[in-house]
Short mmCIF file of all heavy atoms in Angstrom, two decimals:
data_model
loop_
_atom_site.label_atom_id
_atom_site.label_comp_id
_atom_site.label_asym_id
_atom_site.label_seq_id
_atom_site.Cartn_x
_atom_site.Cartn_y
_atom_site.Cartn_z
N HIS A 1490 7.48 150.28 26.29
CA HIS A 1490 6.95 148.91 25.90
C HIS A 1490 8.05 147.97 26.27
O HIS A 1490 9.22 147.95 25.76
CB HIS A 1490 6.84 148.85 24.44
CG HIS A 1490 5.83 149.85 23.92
ND1 HIS A 1490 4.49 149.71 24.07
CD2 HIS A 1490 5.90 151.01 23.21
CE1 HIS A 1490 3.88 150.74 23.53
NE2 HIS A 1490 4.70 151.54 22.92
N GLY A 1559 7.84 163.43 24.89
CA GLY A 1559 6.71 162.77 24.21
C GLY A 1559 7.22 161.65 23.28
O GLY A 1559 6.53 161.44 22.20
N LEU A 1586 6.29 157.51 38.71
CA LEU A 1586 6.43 158.63 37.88
C LEU A 1586 5.25 158.82 37.00
O LEU A 1586 5.14 159.84 36.24
CB LEU A 1586 7.78 158.47 36.97
CG LEU A 1586 9.12 158.51 37.72
CD1 LEU A 1586 10.18 158.07 36.76
CD2 LEU A 1586 9.32 159.88 38.32
N ALA A 1601 13.28 127.14 23.77
CA ALA A 1601 14.24 127.17 22.72
C ALA A 1601 15.15 125.86 22.97
O ALA A 1601 15.51 125.33 22.00
CB ALA A 1601 15.11 128.39 22.77
N LEU A 1606 16.54 120.30 21.30
CA LEU A 1606 16.51 118.93 21.69
C LEU A 1606 15.58 118.06 20.85
O LEU A 1606 15.70 116.85 20.68
CB LEU A 1606 16.20 118.64 23.16
CG LEU A 1606 17.14 119.21 24.13
CD1 LEU A 1606 16.64 119.11 25.55
CD2 LEU A 1606 18.48 118.52 24.11
N SER A 1629 20.21 138.21 43.96
CA SER A 1629 19.43 138.15 45.13
C SER A 1629 19.26 136.66 45.71
O SER A 1629 19.24 135.72 44.92
CB SER A 1629 18.01 138.79 44.94
OG SER A 1629 17.42 138.19 43.91
N LEU A 1637 16.95 124.24 45.88
CA LEU A 1637 16.98 123.13 44.95
C LEU A 1637 16.50 121.84 45.66
O LEU A 1637 15.78 121.08 45.14
CB LEU A 1637 18.33 122.88 44.33
CG LEU A 1637 18.79 123.79 43.15
CD1 LEU A 1637 20.18 123.53 42.70
CD2 LEU A 1637 17.73 123.88 42.16
N SER A 1652 23.16 129.70 36.47
CA SER A 1652 23.86 128.74 37.50
C SER A 1652 24.99 128.15 36.87
O SER A 1652 25.53 127.20 37.48
CB SER A 1652 22.86 127.79 38.12
OG SER A 1652 21.78 128.41 38.75
N ALA A 1653 25.50 128.56 35.79
CA ALA A 1653 26.65 127.88 35.17
C ALA A 1653 27.88 127.91 35.97
O ALA A 1653 28.76 127.06 35.84
CB ALA A 1653 26.89 128.53 33.79
N ILE A 1675 22.81 120.75 29.03
CA ILE A 1675 23.37 122.09 29.15
C ILE A 1675 23.20 122.81 27.88
O ILE A 1675 23.83 122.36 26.88
CB ILE A 1675 24.78 122.10 29.54
CG1 ILE A 1675 25.07 121.16 30.83
CG2 ILE A 1675 25.30 123.53 29.94
CD1 ILE A 1675 26.52 120.62 30.94
N THR A 1729 -10.04 106.16 22.75
CA THR A 1729 -11.02 105.77 23.81
C THR A 1729 -11.22 106.94 24.78
O THR A 1729 -11.99 106.79 25.67
CB THR A 1729 -10.46 104.55 24.65
OG1 THR A 1729 -9.34 104.94 25.33
CG2 THR A 1729 -10.26 103.39 23.73
#
Side-chain angles (χ1 to χ4, degrees):
H1490 303 287
L1586 294 168
L1606 294 172
S1629 55
L1637 282 182
S1652 299
I1675 307 156
T1729 65

